[in-house]
Amino acid sequence: MTSSPIRYERHDNVAVIVSDNPPVNALGAAVRQGLEAYVKQAVADETIGAIVIRCDGKTFFAGADITEFGKPMQDPPLPFLVDMIEASTKPVVAAIHGTALGGGLEVALSCHYRVAVPSAKLGVPEVKLGLLPGAGGTQRLPRVAGVRLALEMCATGNPISAKRAQEAGLVDRIVGEDSLAADAISYAREVVGRPIPRASERSVSPEPETVEAFRRENAKRFRGFDAPAANIACVEKATQVPFEEGVQFERQEFMKLMMGVQSAAQRHIFFAERQAAKIDDVPADTALRPIRKVGVIGAGTMGGGISMNFLSAGIPVTIVEMQQDALDRGTGVMRKNYEASAAKGRMKPEQVEAAMGALTPTLNLQDLADCDLVIEAVYESMDVKKEIFAKLDGICKPGAILASNTSYLDIDEIASVTKRPEDVLGMHFFSPANVMKLLEVVRGAKTAPDVLATVMSLAKKIGKVAVVAGVTYGFIGNRMLMPRQVEANKLLMEGATPEQIDRVHVAFGMPMGPFQMSDLAGVDIGWHRDPSRIENIRDALCAEGRWGQKKQAGFYDYDEKRTPSPSPRVQQIIDEFRAKSGATVREVTDQEIVERTIYPMVNEGALILEEGKAQRASDIDVVWIYGYGWSVYRGGPMFWAQNEETLPKIVAGLEKHGFTVARTLKDAAASGGRLK
Ligand code: T1G
């Protein structure tokens, strides 16, 4: 008989019900059953005047147990439990620390009072799982915290601080950071015998203009997602109908989302992100190397952005450049970025000074001697990188980790110029490096397990989502981008336009299409820089200085606000190349664009798995969500291929267009299996 995760304590006339269900006190069946039994016991006990519900471990209930979704729900269902708590004839106090999230906040909302420690956060992040609070949260929250804040919390899923919660009336008292248990009991004693305030009994005023304004302000942000609109509709319903009717509406909207493919996709990514942090053949308790000081070589866009990640996490950085003006420019950009964040209220001025104060700019590579990790972020040339790593080998202390930020190149070849290949790996950041969450950690043939584990752990510390990639040209993301770009260029020659191809990708849910992306990153990236050598459309654009947004001209024309518009000059260049090639220009359908630019990405992903260059199909999904903005409601290319598009359809499409289909993709399609 496994012991219950819930226990009952008696403190004179106060009953304290405690959950101890690591790691996050998810409201699994055993927790719900324990809560139900003990609340009933306390209510029936005449010597008890009030009840406290709290949690051991790092946090108050962090929500329903997501691992139970899709399985038969065991009694009591959470909606029943919260109604039962609220109906208690004795006051119930929620004692909150850590994060009261989702069903956890719904339990707290069904309690009659809420006390919290200063560091606590409260939220309903269900929308990030493609869901909505399904245990009365959309009906109680507006009644307790007001319509506007309820809309914001439900539709964005972002948590609020205990302070803000108290200001809104969601928390009744902020208690001592280290005395929650005792302070909650004291508070409970104070409310014994008082009339019991129940959220569901409160009224909430209709605020049609508030709801409409919120819908309008956030329309672009929620484009393509189902859940935000459903959350807004539920909160709106709370302002229009009695509580019970609102709860019925909430339940039907919840079930619609739960059965939908978007929530399945978003829950897939929730677990995939956490799974990606695990390295199958490296024990989770591998001893890590201490990283107290980081060196970054190169103060350009990437070097500066990479440095900011560590500085913002309180890790000192020594940044090296070759020329003083480049060094000054780079550190100047870093300060400007920090000050922009401060101007938006995302950082305090003293945090900006602390970050910049931990930065040591230098022209001398020798100053990296005492760094625990050095990240090279210079020009994408193997020769340049090998020269640098050979020098680092002689400069850096034993045990220092040497990493390259290369986007494509062979880490084993770079490691081969050092006497310490076991300390070498790739850390491929995505631009802008201080913003994009993805970090591809490229494992060399000789990379030591503890080096890999150290960098994976460090990634989480600096707020990145890390995925292990093998050594292959372009690793995972950029390797899958290549067939997409090849086909997109071919489609231009056959009759499609940059606008059409990009529109198909944006409609699919990508933030931008291949040509918009090229203009943003720079059409001239990888260009041979010889304007007399014009072999393709890209060469022709570069030769005319159409290098993308930075030149107000690329595949699109741009105004001073960088608003794109189709370019007659580009169409002329495309027409000239079509005429020269003798290609038959024809109408290209949107479906063909999907089959020839997105299906090949799935095919490449299958090849990457076959070659062992990614640990799991879900890792590939994580790369695309966090590195390229693939819409989380589609779950990433490998999830989409197996849940929305289906593998047989993709194999048929690939074969129709003459692609060689990856063996595992073909086998999985034929057997009804899945890409793992
Ligand atoms: N259910 C099951 N497992 C969970 C879980 C949950 N709600 N939350 C976290 N885990 C696991 C996670 O998979 C990982 O497992 C471990 O706990 C540590 O998580 C009816 C329907 C709480 C802020 O969406 O945001 O309530 O990898 O690495 O960085 O209305 O976890 O160790 O095996 O993230 O310290 C709503 C989701 C659910 C909160 C802690 N709640 N969790 O972050 O640890 S739906 C959420 C988080 C719901 C009701 C609806 C974070 C965290 P493993 P971690 P962390």
Side-chain angles (χ1 to χ4, degrees), residues 268-269 272-273 275-276 438 440 466-469 475-481 601-628 630 635-639 642 675-676:
H268 162 72
I269 290 301
E273 175 187 336
Q275 189 67 10
L438 179 66
E440 280 183 326
V467 174
V468 176
F475 314 131
I476 297 172
N478 284 346
R479 175 169 161 183
M480 291 168 72
L481 214 48
M601 289 168 59
V602 174
N603 197 41
E604 201 64 33
L607 289 170
I608 288 168
L609 288 168
E610 277 175 36
E611 297 164 22
K613 303 303 182 187
Q615 292 190 95
R616 13 183 131 77
S618 61
D619 280 14
I620 294 175
D621 290 333
V622 171
V623 163
W624 276 87
I625 300 288
Y626 290 107
Y628 301 84
W630 184 292
M638 310 314 276
F639 180 89
Q642 307 184 82
L675 291 170
K676 292 260 183 272

Side-chain angles (χ1 to χ4, degrees), residues 78-126:
L78 195 56
F80 169 86
L81 177 65
V82 298
D83 288 348
M84 192 213 82
I85 293 170
E86 187 182 58
S88 161
T89 53
K90 296 177 182 173
V92 185
V93 178
I96 299 170
H97 74 296
T99 52
L101 296 177
L105 183 54
E106 291 175 294
V107 166
L109 278 165
S110 71
C111 295
H112 308 117
Y113 301 94
R114 286 157 293 281
V115 300
V117 298
S119 62
K121 291 196 182 309
L122 299 85
V124 275
E126 288 89 334

Side-chain angles (χ1 to χ4, degrees), residues 23 58 62-66 103 106 125-126 129 133-134 270 274 278 460:
K58 73 177 180 182
D65 184 337
I66 312 174
E106 291 175 294
E126 288 89 334
L129 299 172
F270 175 85
R274 288 154 178 82
K278 293 164 186 155
K460 182 162 184 176

Side-chain angles (χ1 to χ4, degrees), residues 636-657:
M638 310 314 276
F639 180 89
W640 169 77
Q642 307 184 82
N643 294 277
E644 195 172 336
E645 196 68 346
T646 77
L647 297 186
K649 188 176 173 193
I650 287 178
V651 169
L654 288 167
E655 288 175 336
K656 177 172 73 175
H657 296 293

